[in-house]
Amino acid sequence: MKRILAAILSVFTLTAAVVGANANESFPNSVKIIVPFPAGGTTDILARFVAQYLGDKLGVTTVVENRPGASGTIGSEMVAKSSNDGSVLLLTATHHVINPSLYRKLPYDTKKDFSPVAVVASAPNALVVNKDFPAKTVAELIVMAKKDPGKYSFGSAGIGGANHLSGELFKQMAGIDIVHIPYKGAAPAMNDLIGGHIPIMFDTLPTVLPAATAGNIRVLAVTSKERAASLPNAPTLDESGVKGFEATAWFGLYMPAANGNAAYTKLVAAMKDILSAPATREKFATQGVQPGRLAGAEFAKFVDAEISKWAGVVKTANVPQQD
């Protein structure tokens, strides 16, 4: 009997060891988060927060790698073609759901080649101008633009992003003609705004706040329906006379198509915990963003809806398709 019990015990011990090993093998020891934009922009700032939080939560080594270009498609393609074991993730902006409408052909299928993990954060954009720009209010800017159609330009982090389309929506609703200048990311666009190479820009608050605090730029308005807690003195565009204006940016974490595998399940659970933590909300608030609330299947549904929504906006704005 003792021998039988010993044999049974050894089988259970071996099974537990195998299950434990498989559980460990289900997630890698290191994670690379690809940001498809240059360092210094909002997406990059958020990715570095997430890398730290995920590393602490999962006990893994994390690193952020910037792969900018082609409105985020270069970095996104790299992730789409990577292993779906959780070792390579994508943290990107609203470009991800807008690009299917902007490009005639993408090197990946946005719906099929990625598994949406979680909305990391959302934030209003801000309408900002160079510190020496004559207009001190949105109303003054509109008057100037109507007087000289096509004379003034506005920069953005790239064609088709939420800040670009905020500008297009502003043009439509204000009845003005200002020229869009796309950049390969928020940071280089902000540098040119500060340097006086472009007069106007739409961008998210994490990139805007440092430059505004330093007095290098001026914030004329925010694009949300309510004032931003981090910029309480900045009016909304709705308050400024562009009635009904609302446009916000959001940032999502994705992995290569995983079909609900163990790594995906683990990441979704980890991000839910991270984003619901009070410390995360406090940290994000300093950057002018709010933690996301959608994860897993709910986020996947949201992504599909956003792809359809932005297709309509792109069509209305007559944004030319890219090759």
Side-chain angles (χ1 to χ4, degrees):
M1 178 64 94
K2 287 182 179 179
R3 287 182 179 178
I4 294 173
L5 288 174
I8 292 172
L9 183 60
S10 67
V11 168
F12 276 125
T13 303
L14 180 61
T15 301
V18 170
V19 171
N22 288 339
N24 289 336
E25 288 170 7
S26 70
F27 205 83
N29 293 322
S30 63
V31 175
K32 181 188 293 182
I33 300 178
I34 300 297
V35 174
F37 306 106
T42 300
T43 316
D44 180 67
I45 292 168
L46 291 171
R48 294 179 192 280
F49 285 152
V50 171
Q52 178 188 336
Y53 298 155
L54 267 182
D56 293 342
K57 183 76 177 174
L58 301 178
V60 299
T61 303
T62 56
V63 64
V64 174
E65 183 176 312
N66 299 89
R67 289 288 186 101
S71 194
T73 62
I74 292 175
S76 298
E77 179 185 8
M78 176 193 167
V79 175
K81 296 177 179 177
S82 297
S83 169
N84 65 359
D85 62 354
S87 60
V88 180
L89 308 177
L90 174 71
L91 204 157
T92 188
T94 323
H95 295 66
H96 191 66
V97 294
I98 299 172
N99 283 338
S101 303
L102 278 182
Y103 286 84
R104 289 186 177 87
K105 187 176 181 181
L106 289 172
Y108 51 80
D109 187 313
T110 305
K111 289 187 177 183
K112 294 180 180 178
D113 292 342
F114 299 91
S115 286
V117 176
V119 175
V120 172
S122 61
N125 290 311
L127 168 55
V128 295
V129 294
N130 175 272
K131 63 182 177 62
D132 298 320
F133 192 66
K136 299 295 189 293
T137 66
V138 173
E140 290 178 5
L141 169 58
I142 292 172
V143 168
M144 289 173 61
K146 284 186 174 180
K147 184 181 178 183
D148 293 299
K151 177 180 178 180
Y152 302 103
S153 60
F154 76 97
S156 80
I159 294 174
N163 45 23
H164 168 208
L165 293 183
S166 289
E168 295 294 342
L169 188 59
F170 176 58
K171 287 168 59 177
Q172 292 172 25
M173 295 183 70
I176 60 174
D177 178 18
I178 53 177
V179 181
H180 176 231
I181 308 294
Y183 286 80
K184 292 183 178 179
M190 181 58 70
N191 288 338
D192 267 11
L193 181 73
I194 292 171
H197 302 294
I198 53 173
I200 308 162
M201 182 176 170
F202 283 85
D203 200 10
T204 43
L205 296 191
T207 311
V208 165
L209 287 172
T213 302
N216 294 325
I217 62 172
R218 284 185 289 108
V219 179
L220 297 189
V222 293
T223 64
S224 48
K225 266 295 183 71
E226 297 178 352
R227 293 195 179 198
S230 53
L231 280 173
N233 294 324
T236 66
L237 274 162
D238 179 77
E239 286 179 83
S240 302
V242 189
K243 294 299 180 184
F245 191 101
E246 183 179 19
T248 57
W250 58 268
F251 305 83
L253 184 69
Y254 307 78
M255 66 181 290
N259 300 314
N261 67 13
Y264 176 76
T265 302
K266 192 165 189 174
L267 278 167
V268 169
M271 289 304 297
K272 282 183 177 179
D273 287 346
I274 288 167
L275 294 169
S276 63
T280 304
R281 182 169 294 277
E282 290 172 13
K283 184 69 174 177
F284 278 21
T286 65
Q287 298 295 322
V289 301
Q290 294 183 331
R293 296 180 180 178
L294 301 178
E298 287 184 328
F299 179 32
K301 239 182 242 186
F302 177 70
V303 167
D304 289 346
E306 284 285 282
I307 289 173
S308 299
K309 181 187 87 172
W310 286 110
V313 175
V314 168
K315 185 176 181 181
T316 302
N318 291 318
V319 180
Q321 279 200 316
Q322 310 294 302
D323 291 320

